[in-house]
Amino acid sequence: MSFRADAIANLFRGLFRLPDTLLGLLDGLLDRLRRRGLGDAPAAAVLLLPAVLILTAFILVPMGSTFYMSLFGGRHGMGAFVGAGNYLDAMGSRDFRQSLLVTVYYVLGVIPVSMALSFLIAWGLYRIEAFRGFLRSFYFLPYVTSAVAAAMVWLSLFNPQSGVVNLVLGSLGMDAQQWLLEPRGVLHLMSGGAVPASWGPSLALTCIILFDVWHGCGFMIVVFLAGLSAISRELEEAARIDGAEGWRMLWHVILPLLSPTIFFLLIVGVIKAFQAFNSFYALTQGGSMADTQNLILYIYAQFYRYGYWGYAAAVAALLMLAIVILTVIQWRVIERRVHYQ
Amino acid sequence: MKARRVLLYLVLALGALAAVYPFLWMVGTAFKTLSEANTASLRLFPETWQWGNIAETFRAAPFGRYFLNSLVVSALVCVFVCLTSLMAGYAFARLRFPGRGILFAVTLCSMMVPFEAVFVPNFVLITRLGWYNSYFALIVPWCANAFSIFLMRQAFMSLPEEYYDAARVDGCGHLRFLFRIGVPLVKPMLVTVALFSFLGSYNALLWPLIVTADESMRVVQVGLTSFYSDAGTRLNLLMCASTVVILPTVVLYFLAQRHYVESALGSGIKG
């Protein structure tokens, strides 16, 4: 009995040492190469190979091949060479321009609203002592949950017939709305019809924007809170002694000191907003209603539903270009105004 | 002053309630009877909890299979991301080799390109490799990402030089140092990387939607969207399914909350 236990223990010890032995062997090999004057290069090659291989195969090369594929026509494959044909088609397509507009509305809605709201909540959390961590964990919760599952809940809450939202509106004596099924403009509905229905984002798109504000705020709140906590107390005290109070303190002391955080969230937020897909897909049931089809959903539909591979690649290339240009512009223009401590 | 403090707490508590209300409603509705779920009411929780709804949901669609797929895919992605970013992060932080600066710059640049913008050629590549509708398609493209590499590099750079020197004197090579001594030292960041790669993979939708066709290969997110069109009218079951899909991530979140916060902070310290 004890013999068998020993054997098993030995076996396990051996198995446990196996990776160590292998690593030791590899290290010995690398060490011999190093002594031949190759320095750390062989070790670096071994360590970097897997990551570089995957990033090259699935991000870097595809960047190039997206442009390459965009030069060909055909369906479910690459057909004849059409040069800039796909790009010209996109420029002439109403649906493409509409999806671009939807994307712009979405970015212009989500970014300012969620940044302002997150900052105010973080500022509030920063000023309380008790329950800070407790409340923060609730605000962060939506961010970790699946957007698809959360969207199912929103679809039910905003259901025109049986949803809680219309129920509450009704009990307050207000009109029920179609919410996510409403293609008419939110400005049109709010102004009682004074603004044409086709102007501005539709009510459905506004609901998607609200959803993503709710879903994404947690991340921004936590980052803002970290930024606020990093501001030195002495600096704040000094400003207070100099007579800065309340809003003046916020505007002239806190916000400038926080500008690196704001800048970071802006860059990350804009990139993320341009690639929004899950919320759009789940809240519209993968629908292709023009008023809620953003660029990614448009690319997806052209590729997956209609099989225009080259055309989808062309629109994707335009999207990539737009993101890179926007990021560079933000970097160039705003970084100059960022105050680093 | 005191009144303002109370007001501040009140506003913050209301905001937190707004953040979690949809989840409370979801759980409440998940365990109502169908007729109770379909009547619009402000009653959050059911009159009697219908625990049988869980079994009913798993009968209505193969969620067991979806879960298995999701867990296998996310767990493997998580393990591989940890490995690749540990190795690459260590190399970028500690090794001197020609082309390091350029290679690192290129890696950072790939952070700017969203996967959503390059999925067309990736789909072509996956089908050429014969990986369409397989675990390979769901796992391999996600096994490395620039952000995790960046985070691990930061972690290794913040370790004191003495560790490396001591190990070197004892004749410990790079690989053994990395896996035997380095891993425990950078564990907090590693847990963060692991959590986020797991979550990212578990919550992904676009890529699984494109590269899987059979029901047996569906992951939970895809399964849930198709469940909506099949069983959207059975509101209680839909909410039950959503609850089940969200549950693992919420449990993980409350178990490892500290790491989530740290990771958000880590991403705030750029450069």
Coordinates of all heavy atoms in Angstrom, one line a residue, chain A residues 181-265:
Chain A
L181 N -38.7 50.4 -31.8 CA -39.3 50.1 -33.1 C -39.7 51.4 -33.8 O -40.3 51.4 -34.9 CB -40.6 49.3 -32.9 CG -40.5 47.9 -32.2 CD1 -41.8 47.3 -31.9 CD2 -39.6 47.0 -33.0
E182 N -39.2 52.5 -33.3 CA -39.7 53.8 -33.8 C -38.6 54.4 -34.7 O -37.6 54.9 -34.3 CB -39.9 54.8 -32.6 CG -40.3 56.2 -33.0 CD -41.6 56.2 -33.8 OE1 -42.7 56.2 -33.1 OE2 -41.6 56.3 -35.0
P183 N -38.9 54.4 -36.0 CA -37.9 55.0 -37.0 C -37.9 56.5 -37.1 O -37.0 57.1 -37.7 CB -38.3 54.3 -38.3 CG -39.7 54.1 -38.2 CD -40.0 53.8 -36.7
R184 N -38.9 57.1 -36.5 CA -39.0 58.6 -36.6 C -38.0 59.3 -35.7 O -37.7 58.7 -34.6 CB -40.4 59.1 -36.3 CG -41.4 58.8 -37.4 CD -42.8 59.3 -37.1 NE -43.4 58.5 -36.0 CZ -44.5 58.9 -35.4 NH1 -45.1 60.0 -35.7 NH2 -45.0 58.2 -34.4
G185 N -37.6 60.4 -36.0 CA -36.6 61.2 -35.3 C -37.0 61.5 -33.9 O -38.2 61.8 -33.6
V186 N -36.1 61.5 -33.0 CA -36.4 61.8 -31.6 C -36.7 63.3 -31.5 O -37.6 63.7 -30.7 CB -35.2 61.4 -30.7 CG1 -33.9 62.2 -31.0 CG2 -35.6 61.5 -29.2
L187 N -36.1 64.1 -32.3 CA -36.3 65.6 -32.3 C -37.8 65.8 -32.7 O -38.5 66.7 -32.2 CB -35.3 66.3 -33.1 CG -33.9 66.2 -32.7 CD1 -33.0 66.9 -33.7 CD2 -33.7 66.9 -31.3
H188 N -38.2 65.1 -33.8 CA -39.5 65.2 -34.3 C -40.5 64.9 -33.2 O -41.5 65.6 -33.1 CB -39.6 64.2 -35.5 CG -41.0 64.1 -36.0 ND1 -41.6 65.0 -36.9 CD2 -42.0 63.1 -35.8 CE1 -42.8 64.6 -37.2 NE2 -43.1 63.4 -36.6
L189 N -40.3 63.8 -32.5 CA -41.3 63.4 -31.5 C -41.3 64.4 -30.3 O -42.4 64.7 -29.7 CB -41.0 62.0 -31.0 CG -41.1 60.9 -32.0 CD1 -40.4 59.7 -31.6 CD2 -42.6 60.7 -32.3
M190 N -40.1 64.9 -29.9 CA -40.0 65.8 -28.8 C -40.6 67.2 -29.1 O -41.2 67.8 -28.2 CB -38.6 65.9 -28.3 CG -38.2 64.8 -27.4 SD -36.4 64.7 -27.1 CE -36.1 66.3 -26.4
S191 N -40.5 67.6 -30.4 CA -41.0 68.9 -30.7 C -42.4 68.9 -31.1 O -42.9 69.9 -31.6 CB -40.1 69.5 -31.8 OG -40.3 68.7 -33.0
G192 N -43.0 67.7 -31.0 CA -44.4 67.6 -31.4 C -44.6 67.7 -32.9 O -45.7 68.2 -33.3
G193 N -43.6 67.4 -33.7 CA -43.8 67.4 -35.1 C -43.3 68.6 -35.8 O -43.3 68.7 -37.0
A194 N -42.7 69.6 -35.1 CA -42.2 70.8 -35.7 C -40.9 70.5 -36.5 O -40.7 71.1 -37.6 CB -41.9 71.8 -34.6
V195 N -40.1 69.5 -36.0 CA -38.9 69.1 -36.8 C -39.3 68.0 -37.7 O -40.0 67.1 -37.2 CB -37.8 68.7 -35.8 CG1 -36.6 68.2 -36.5 CG2 -37.5 69.9 -34.8
P196 N -38.8 67.9 -38.9 CA -39.2 66.8 -39.8 C -38.7 65.5 -39.2 O -37.7 65.4 -38.5 CB -38.4 67.1 -41.1 CG -38.1 68.6 -41.1 CD -38.1 69.0 -39.6
A197 N -39.5 64.4 -39.5 CA -39.3 63.1 -38.9 C -37.9 62.5 -39.3 O -37.4 61.7 -38.6 CB -40.4 62.1 -39.3
S198 N -37.4 63.0 -40.4 CA -36.1 62.3 -40.9 C -34.9 63.0 -40.3 O -33.8 62.6 -40.6 CB -36.1 62.4 -42.4 OG -36.2 63.7 -42.9
W199 N -35.1 64.1 -39.6 CA -33.9 64.8 -39.1 C -33.4 64.2 -37.8 O -34.2 63.7 -36.9 CB -34.3 66.3 -38.8 CG -34.3 67.1 -40.0 CD1 -34.5 66.6 -41.3 CD2 -34.3 68.5 -40.1 NE1 -34.6 67.7 -42.2 CE2 -34.4 68.9 -41.5 CE3 -34.1 69.6 -39.2 CZ2 -34.4 70.2 -41.9 CZ3 -34.1 70.9 -39.6 CH2 -34.2 71.2 -41.0
G200 N -32.1 64.2 -37.6 CA -31.5 63.7 -36.4 C -31.7 62.2 -36.2 O -32.3 61.5 -37.0
P201 N -31.2 61.7 -35.1 CA -31.2 60.3 -34.8 C -32.7 59.9 -34.5 O -33.5 60.6 -34.0 CB -30.4 60.1 -33.5 CG -30.3 61.4 -32.9 CD -30.4 62.4 -34.0
S202 N -33.0 58.6 -34.9 CA -34.4 58.1 -34.6 C -34.5 57.8 -33.2 O -33.5 57.7 -32.5 CB -34.6 56.9 -35.5 OG -33.9 55.8 -35.0
L203 N -35.7 57.6 -32.7 CA -36.0 57.3 -31.3 C -35.3 55.9 -31.0 O -34.7 55.7 -30.0 CB -37.4 57.2 -31.0 CG -37.8 56.9 -29.5 CD1 -37.1 57.9 -28.6 CD2 -39.3 56.9 -29.3
A204 N -35.4 55.0 -32.0 CA -34.8 53.7 -31.8 C -33.3 53.8 -31.6 O -32.7 53.2 -30.7 CB -35.0 52.8 -33.0
L205 N -32.6 54.7 -32.4 CA -31.2 54.9 -32.3 C -30.9 55.5 -30.9 O -29.9 55.2 -30.3 CB -30.6 55.7 -33.4 CG -29.1 56.0 -33.4 CD1 -28.3 54.7 -33.5 CD2 -28.8 56.9 -34.6
T206 N -31.7 56.4 -30.5 CA -31.5 57.1 -29.2 C -31.6 56.0 -28.1 O -30.8 56.1 -27.1 CB -32.6 58.1 -28.9 OG1 -32.7 59.0 -30.1 CG2 -32.2 59.0 -27.7
C207 N -32.5 55.0 -28.2 CA -32.5 54.0 -27.2 C -31.2 53.2 -27.2 O -30.8 52.8 -26.1 CB -33.7 53.0 -27.5 SG -35.3 53.8 -27.2
I208 N -30.7 52.9 -28.4 CA -29.4 52.1 -28.4 C -28.3 53.0 -27.8 O -27.5 52.4 -27.0 CB -29.1 51.8 -29.9 CG1 -30.1 50.9 -30.5 CG2 -27.7 51.2 -30.0 CD1 -29.9 50.6 -32.0
I209 N -28.3 54.3 -28.0 CA -27.3 55.1 -27.4 C -27.4 55.1 -25.9 O -26.5 54.9 -25.2 CB -27.5 56.6 -27.9 CG1 -27.0 56.7 -29.4 CG2 -26.6 57.6 -27.1 CD1 -27.3 58.0 -30.0
L210 N -28.7 55.2 -25.4 CA -28.9 55.1 -23.9 C -28.4 53.8 -23.4 O -27.8 53.7 -22.3 CB -30.4 55.3 -23.6 CG -30.9 56.7 -23.6 CD1 -32.4 56.7 -23.3 CD2 -30.1 57.5 -22.7
F211 N -28.7 52.7 -24.1 CA -28.3 51.4 -23.7 C -26.8 51.3 -23.5 O -26.3 50.9 -22.5 CB -28.7 50.3 -24.7 CG -28.2 48.9 -24.4 CD1 -28.8 48.1 -23.5 CD2 -27.0 48.5 -25.0 CE1 -28.3 46.8 -23.2 CE2 -26.5 47.2 -24.7 CZ -27.2 46.4 -23.8
D212 N -26.0 51.9 -24.5 CA -24.6 51.8 -24.4 C -24.0 52.7 -23.4 O -22.9 52.5 -22.8 CB -23.9 52.0 -25.8 CG -23.9 50.6 -26.5 OD1 -23.7 49.6 -25.9 OD2 -24.1 50.6 -27.8
V213 N -24.7 53.8 -23.1 CA -24.3 54.7 -22.0 C -24.4 53.9 -20.7 O -23.4 53.9 -19.9 CB -25.1 56.0 -22.0 CG1 -24.9 56.7 -20.7 CG2 -24.8 56.9 -23.2
W214 N -25.5 53.3 -20.5 CA -25.7 52.5 -19.3 C -24.7 51.4 -19.2 O -24.1 51.1 -18.2 CB -27.2 51.9 -19.4 CG -27.4 50.9 -18.3 CD1 -27.7 51.1 -17.0 CD2 -27.5 49.4 -18.5 NE1 -27.9 49.9 -16.4 CE2 -27.8 48.8 -17.3 CE3 -27.4 48.6 -19.7 CZ2 -27.9 47.5 -17.1 CZ3 -27.5 47.3 -19.5 CH2 -27.8 46.7 -18.3
H215 N -24.5 50.7 -20.3 CA -23.6 49.5 -20.3 C -22.1 49.9 -20.2 O -21.4 49.1 -19.6 CB -23.8 48.7 -21.6 CG -23.3 47.3 -21.6 ND1 -22.1 47.0 -22.3 CD2 -23.7 46.2 -21.0 CE1 -21.9 45.7 -22.1 NE2 -22.8 45.2 -21.3
G216 N -21.7 51.0 -20.7 CA -20.3 51.4 -20.7 C -19.8 52.3 -19.6 O -18.6 52.5 -19.4
C217 N -20.8 52.9 -18.9 CA -20.4 54.0 -17.9 C -19.4 53.4 -16.9 O -18.5 54.1 -16.4 CB -21.6 54.6 -17.3 SG -22.0 56.2 -17.9
G218 N -19.7 52.2 -16.4 CA -18.9 51.6 -15.3 C -17.4 51.8 -15.5 O -16.7 52.2 -14.6
F219 N -17.0 51.4 -16.7 CA -15.6 51.5 -17.0 C -15.0 52.9 -16.8 O -14.0 53.2 -16.2 CB -15.3 51.0 -18.4 CG -13.9 51.2 -18.9 CD1 -12.9 50.4 -18.4 CD2 -13.6 52.2 -19.8 CE1 -11.6 50.5 -18.9 CE2 -12.3 52.3 -20.3 CZ -11.3 51.5 -19.8
M220 N -15.7 53.9 -17.4 CA -15.3 55.3 -17.3 C -15.3 55.8 -15.9 O -14.4 56.5 -15.5 CB -16.2 56.2 -18.2 CG -16.0 55.9 -19.7 SD -16.8 57.2 -20.7 CE -16.3 56.8 -22.3
I221 N -16.3 55.4 -15.1 CA -16.4 55.8 -13.7 C -15.2 55.4 -13.0 O -14.5 56.1 -12.3 CB -17.7 55.3 -13.1 CG1 -18.9 55.9 -13.7 CG2 -17.6 55.5 -11.6 CD1 -20.2 55.4 -13.2
V222 N -14.8 54.1 -13.2 CA -13.7 53.5 -12.4 C -12.4 54.3 -12.8 O -11.5 54.6 -12.0 CB -13.6 52.0 -12.6 CG1 -12.3 51.5 -12.1 CG2 -14.7 51.3 -11.9
V223 N -12.2 54.5 -14.1 CA -11.0 55.2 -14.6 C -11.0 56.6 -14.1 O -9.9 57.1 -13.6 CB -10.9 55.1 -16.1 CG1 -9.7 55.9 -16.6 CG2 -10.8 53.7 -16.6
F224 N -12.1 57.3 -14.1 CA -12.2 58.7 -13.6 C -11.8 58.7 -12.1 O -11.1 59.6 -11.6 CB -13.6 59.3 -13.8 CG -13.7 60.1 -15.1 CD1 -14.8 59.8 -15.9 CD2 -12.8 61.0 -15.4 CE1 -15.0 60.5 -17.1 CE2 -12.9 61.7 -16.6 CZ -14.0 61.5 -17.5
L225 N -12.4 57.8 -11.4 CA -12.2 57.7 -9.9 C -10.7 57.5 -9.6 O -10.2 58.1 -8.7 CB -13.0 56.5 -9.4 CG -13.4 56.6 -7.9 CD1 -14.1 57.9 -7.6 CD2 -14.4 55.5 -7.6
A226 N -10.1 56.7 -10.4 CA -8.6 56.4 -10.2 C -7.9 57.7 -10.5 O -6.9 58.1 -9.8 CB -8.1 55.3 -11.1
G227 N -8.3 58.4 -11.6 CA -7.6 59.7 -11.9 C -7.8 60.7 -10.8 O -6.9 61.4 -10.5
L228 N -9.0 60.8 -10.3 CA -9.3 61.8 -9.2 C -8.4 61.4 -8.0 O -7.9 62.3 -7.3 CB -10.8 61.7 -8.9 CG -11.7 62.4 -9.8 CD1 -13.2 62.1 -9.5 CD2 -11.5 64.0 -9.8
S229 N -8.3 60.1 -7.7 CA -7.6 59.7 -6.5 C -6.1 60.0 -6.6 O -5.4 60.2 -5.6 CB -7.8 58.3 -6.2 OG -9.1 57.9 -6.2
A230 N -5.7 60.1 -7.9 CA -4.2 60.4 -8.1 C -3.9 61.9 -8.0 O -2.7 62.2 -7.9 CB -3.8 59.8 -9.5
I231 N -4.9 62.7 -8.0 CA -4.6 64.2 -7.9 C -4.1 64.4 -6.5 O -4.7 64.0 -5.5 CB -5.8 65.0 -8.1 CG1 -6.2 64.9 -9.6 CG2 -5.6 66.4 -7.7 CD1 -7.5 65.6 -9.9
S232 N -3.0 65.2 -6.4 CA -2.4 65.3 -5.0 C -3.2 66.3 -4.2 O -3.8 67.3 -4.6 CB -1.0 65.9 -5.2 OG -0.9 67.3 -5.0
R233 N -3.4 65.8 -2.9 CA -4.2 66.6 -2.0 C -3.6 68.0 -1.7 O -4.3 68.9 -1.5 CB -4.2 65.8 -0.6 CG -4.9 64.5 -0.7 CD -6.4 64.7 -0.7 NE -7.0 63.5 -1.3 CZ -8.3 63.2 -1.2 NH1 -9.1 64.0 -0.7 NH2 -8.8 62.1 -1.8
E234 N -2.3 68.1 -1.7 CA -1.7 69.4 -1.4 C -2.0 70.4 -2.5 O -2.4 71.5 -2.2 CB -0.1 69.2 -1.4 CG 0.4 68.6 -0.2 CD 0.9 67.2 -0.4 OE1 1.8 67.0 -1.3 OE2 0.4 66.2 0.2
L235 N -2.1 69.9 -3.7 CA -2.4 70.8 -4.8 C -3.8 71.4 -4.6 O -4.1 72.5 -4.8 CB -2.3 70.1 -6.1 CG -1.7 70.8 -7.3 CD1 -0.4 71.4 -7.0 CD2 -1.6 69.9 -8.5
E236 N -4.7 70.4 -4.3 CA -6.1 70.8 -4.1 C -6.2 71.8 -2.9 O -7.0 72.8 -3.0 CB -6.9 69.5 -3.8 CG -8.3 69.5 -4.3 CD -9.0 68.2 -4.0 OE1 -8.3 67.2 -4.2 OE2 -10.2 68.2 -3.6
E237 N -5.5 71.5 -1.8 CA -5.5 72.4 -0.7 C -5.0 73.8 -1.0 O -5.6 74.8 -0.6 CB -4.6 71.8 0.5 CG -5.4 70.9 1.4 CD -6.7 71.4 1.8 OE1 -6.8 72.5 2.4 OE2 -7.7 70.7 1.6
A238 N -3.9 73.8 -1.8 CA -3.3 75.1 -2.1 C -4.3 75.9 -2.9 O -4.5 77.1 -2.7 CB -2.0 74.8 -3.0
A239 N -5.0 75.2 -3.8 CA -6.0 75.9 -4.6 C -7.2 76.5 -3.7 O -7.7 77.6 -3.9 CB -6.6 75.0 -5.7
R240 N -7.5 75.7 -2.7 CA -8.6 76.1 -1.8 C -8.2 77.3 -1.0 O -8.9 78.2 -0.9 CB -8.9 74.9 -0.9 CG -10.1 75.2 0.0 CD -10.7 73.9 0.5 NE -11.4 73.3 -0.6 CZ -11.5 71.9 -0.8 NH1 -10.8 71.2 0.0 NH2 -12.1 71.4 -1.8
I241 N -6.9 77.3 -0.6 CA -6.4 78.5 0.2 C -6.4 79.7 -0.7 O -6.7 80.8 -0.3 CB -5.0 78.2 0.7 CG1 -5.1 77.1 1.8 CG2 -4.4 79.4 1.3 CD1 -3.8 76.5 2.2
D242 N -6.1 79.5 -2.0 CA -6.1 80.6 -2.9 C -7.5 81.1 -3.3 O -7.7 81.9 -4.1 CB -5.4 80.3 -4.2 CG -3.9 80.3 -4.0 OD1 -3.5 80.8 -2.9 OD2 -3.1 79.8 -4.8
G243 N -8.6 80.4 -2.7 CA -9.9 80.9 -2.9 C -10.7 80.1 -3.9 O -11.8 80.6 -4.3
A244 N -10.2 79.0 -4.4 CA -11.0 78.2 -5.4 C -12.0 77.4 -4.7 O -11.7 76.7 -3.7 CB -10.1 77.3 -6.2
E245 N -13.3 77.5 -5.1 CA -14.3 76.7 -4.4 C -15.3 76.2 -5.4 O -15.4 76.7 -6.5 CB -15.1 77.6 -3.4 CG -14.6 77.7 -2.0 CD -14.5 76.4 -1.3 OE1 -15.3 75.5 -1.6 OE2 -13.6 76.2 -0.4
G246 N -16.0 75.1 -5.1 CA -17.1 74.6 -5.9 C -16.7 74.4 -7.4 O -15.8 73.8 -7.7
W247 N -17.5 75.1 -8.2 CA -17.4 74.9 -9.6 C -16.1 75.5 -10.2 O -15.5 74.9 -11.1 CB -18.6 75.6 -10.4 CG -19.8 74.9 -10.2 CD1 -20.9 75.2 -9.5 CD2 -20.2 73.6 -10.8 NE1 -21.9 74.3 -9.5 CE2 -21.5 73.3 -10.3 CE3 -19.5 72.7 -11.6 CZ2 -22.1 72.1 -10.7 CZ3 -20.1 71.6 -12.0 CH2 -21.4 71.2 -11.5
R248 N -15.6 76.6 -9.5 CA -14.4 77.1 -10.0 C -13.2 76.2 -9.8 O -12.3 76.0 -10.6 CB -14.1 78.5 -9.3 CG -14.6 79.7 -10.1 CD -14.7 80.9 -9.2 NE -13.5 81.0 -8.4 CZ -12.6 82.1 -8.6 NH1 -12.9 83.0 -9.5 NH2 -11.6 82.2 -7.8
M249 N -13.3 75.5 -8.6 CA -12.3 74.5 -8.3 C -12.3 73.4 -9.3 O -11.3 73.0 -9.9 CB -12.7 73.9 -6.9 CG -11.8 72.8 -6.5 SD -10.3 73.4 -5.9 CE -9.9 72.2 -4.7
L250 N -13.6 72.9 -9.6 CA -13.7 71.9 -10.6 C -13.2 72.2 -12.0 O -12.4 71.5 -12.6 CB -15.2 71.5 -10.7 CG -15.6 70.2 -11.4 CD1 -15.1 69.1 -10.6 CD2 -17.1 70.1 -11.5
W251 N -13.5 73.5 -12.4 CA -13.2 73.9 -13.8 C -11.8 74.2 -13.9 O -11.1 73.9 -14.9 CB -14.1 75.1 -14.1 CG -14.1 75.4 -15.6 CD1 -13.5 76.5 -16.2 CD2 -14.7 74.6 -16.6 NE1 -13.7 76.4 -17.5 CE2 -14.4 75.3 -17.8 CE3 -15.4 73.4 -16.7 CZ2 -14.8 74.8 -19.1 CZ3 -15.8 72.9 -17.9 CH2 -15.5 73.6 -19.1
H252 N -11.2 74.9 -13.0 CA -9.9 75.5 -13.1 C -8.8 74.6 -12.5 O -7.6 74.7 -12.9 CB -9.8 76.9 -12.5 CG -10.6 77.9 -13.3 ND1 -10.2 78.3 -14.6 CD2 -11.7 78.5 -13.0 CE1 -11.1 79.2 -15.0 NE2 -12.0 79.3 -14.0
V253 N -9.1 73.7 -11.6 CA -8.1 72.9 -11.0 C -8.2 71.4 -11.3 O -7.4 70.8 -11.9 CB -8.1 73.1 -9.4 CG1 -7.0 72.3 -8.8 CG2 -8.0 74.6 -9.1
I254 N -9.4 70.9 -11.0 CA -9.6 69.4 -11.1 C -9.6 69.0 -12.6 O -8.8 68.1 -13.0 CB -10.9 69.0 -10.5 CG1 -11.0 69.4 -9.0 CG2 -11.1 67.5 -10.6 CD1 -10.0 68.7 -8.1
L255 N -10.4 69.6 -13.4 CA -10.5 69.2 -14.8 C -9.1 69.3 -15.6 O -8.7 68.3 -16.2 CB -11.6 69.9 -15.6 CG -13.0 69.4 -15.3 CD1 -14.0 70.2 -16.1 CD2 -13.1 67.9 -15.6
P256 N -8.4 70.4 -15.4 CA -7.1 70.4 -16.1 C -6.1 69.3 -15.6 O -5.4 68.7 -16.4 CB -6.5 71.8 -15.7 CG -7.7 72.6 -15.4 CD -8.7 71.7 -14.8
L257 N -6.2 69.0 -14.3 CA -5.3 68.0 -13.7 C -5.8 66.6 -14.2 O -5.0 65.7 -14.3 CB -5.4 68.0 -12.2 CG -4.6 69.1 -11.5 CD1 -4.8 69.1 -10.1 CD2 -3.1 69.0 -11.9
L258 N -7.0 66.5 -14.6 CA -7.6 65.2 -15.0 C -7.5 65.0 -16.5 O -7.9 64.0 -17.0 CB -9.1 65.2 -14.6 CG -9.7 63.8 -14.2 CD1 -8.9 63.2 -13.1 CD2 -11.1 64.0 -13.8
S259 N -6.9 66.0 -17.2 CA -7.0 66.0 -18.6 C -6.3 64.7 -19.3 O -6.8 64.2 -20.3 CB -6.4 67.3 -19.3 OG -5.2 67.6 -18.8
P260 N -5.2 64.2 -18.7 CA -4.7 62.9 -19.3 C -5.7 61.8 -19.3 O -5.9 61.1 -20.2 CB -3.5 62.6 -18.4 CG -3.1 63.8 -17.8 CD -4.4 64.6 -17.6
T261 N -6.5 61.7 -18.2 CA -7.5 60.7 -18.0 C -8.6 60.9 -19.1 O -9.1 60.0 -19.7 CB -8.1 60.7 -16.6 OG1 -7.1 60.6 -15.7 CG2 -9.1 59.5 -16.4
I262 N -9.1 62.2 -19.2 CA -10.1 62.5 -20.1 C -9.7 62.2 -21.5 O -10.4 61.6 -22.3 CB -10.5 64.0 -20.0 CG1 -11.0 64.3 -18.6 CG2 -11.5 64.4 -21.1 CD1 -11.2 65.8 -18.4
F263 N -8.4 62.5 -21.8 CA -7.9 62.3 -23.2 C -7.8 60.8 -23.5 O -8.3 60.3 -24.5 CB -6.5 62.9 -23.2 CG -5.7 62.6 -24.5 CD1 -6.2 63.0 -25.7 CD2 -4.5 61.9 -24.4 CE1 -5.5 62.8 -26.8 CE2 -3.8 61.7 -25.6 CZ -4.3 62.1 -26.8
F264 N -7.4 60.0 -22.5 CA -7.3 58.5 -22.7 C -8.7 58.0 -22.9 O -8.9 57.2 -23.9 CB -6.7 57.9 -21.4 CG -6.9 56.4 -21.3 CD1 -6.3 55.5 -22.2 CD2 -7.8 55.9 -20.4 CE1 -6.5 54.2 -22.1 CE2 -8.1 54.5 -20.4 CZ -7.4 53.7 -21.2
L265 N -9.7 58.4 -22.1 CA -11.1 57.8 -22.3 C -11.7 58.3 -23.6 O -12.4 57.5 -24.2 CB -11.9 58.3 -21.1 CG -11.7 57.6 -19.8 CD1 -12.6 58.2 -18.7 CD2 -12.0 56.1 -19.9

